[in-house]
Amino acid sequence: MAFTYSGDPTTSTRNAVRFLLNDTDSGDVLFTDAELDYLIAEWVNVYEICRAACETLVSRFSRLADSTSKSVGDISVSESYTAKSKQYQDLANSFLQRRMRKTPPTMWANADSLKSTNDRTVADYNTDFFTGQHDNPNGFLDKRIIE
């Protein structure tokens, strides 16, 4: 199980993801390098990668027992996986909000669809609306006209 973290999130995407997830302790590893490389290959944006990683952690901790406790002598340690699952779900939502703040959605249109019917590319027949496109008296939602 390979784990690498240089301590500088600006050196690689993997380091940035580890930093944002607080997966920086080699004694308590959340993801291996191979798992993070898979997520990095799947997603482009660092915040989307972190969100996907958090959703993976939510499913990982959701399947575990609700709580475990161990005691040795006078010392007792308990851990609630439901709380961890909720924590990572909240973190996933915060990564979505961060991504939206950093790179909001942009409006775009097919430039060919803004042209008139006479000027558009003929090969792409679905670029704009035309008169009579809904004139089908025998359509699915219209009443049947007996001819």
Side-chain angles (χ1 to χ4, degrees):
M1 180 165 83
F3 175 87
T4 55
Y5 180 67
S6 69
D8 185 6
T10 60
T11 57
S12 71
T13 305
R14 186 189 309 142
N15 283 337
V17 170
R18 285 201 189 280
F19 173 75
L20 291 171
L21 291 175
N22 199 18
D23 185 20
T24 57
D25 183 13
S26 62
D28 185 23
V29 177
L30 295 174
F31 290 101
T32 64
D33 288 347
E35 290 169 334
L36 285 182
D37 289 341
Y38 170 76
L39 290 175
I40 291 168
E42 285 290 309
W43 300 95
V44 177
N45 188 301
V46 174
Y47 295 108
E48 286 294 331
I49 297 166
C50 290
R51 183 169 185 239
C54 284
E55 289 171 348
T56 303
L57 291 174
V58 166
S59 65
R60 182 182 299 172
F61 291 126
S62 294
R63 67 180 184 86
L64 297 174
D66 188 25
S67 63
T68 60
S69 80
K70 296 178 182 178
S71 52
V72 176
D74 294 340
I75 301 172
S76 177
V77 177
S78 64
E79 189 170 25
S80 173
Y81 291 109
T82 303
K84 274 191 172 184
S85 179
K86 174 77 171 119
Q87 172 194 357
Y88 283 110
Q89 184 61 51
D90 293 342
L91 190 59
N93 292 335
S94 80
F95 282 126
L96 175 63
Q97 292 170 354
R98 285 187 202 182
R99 184 189 65 81
M100 295 298 282
R101 282 195 310 261
K102 299 276 287 184
T103 56
T106 56
M107 295 295 293
W108 66 275
N110 180 359
D112 208 28
S113 68
L114 302 176
K115 296 178 182 176
S116 71
T117 306
N118 295 334
D119 297 332
R120 68 184 171 99
T121 306
V122 179
D124 187 10
Y125 60 89
N126 202 13
T127 57
D128 60 5
F129 298 100
F130 56 91
T131 304
Q133 69 181 4
H134 297 293
D135 293 347
N136 183 3
N138 297 326
F140 176 69
L141 297 174
D142 296 330
K143 293 181 180 178
R144 179 88 176 149
I145 298 174
I146 300 174
E147 297 176 10

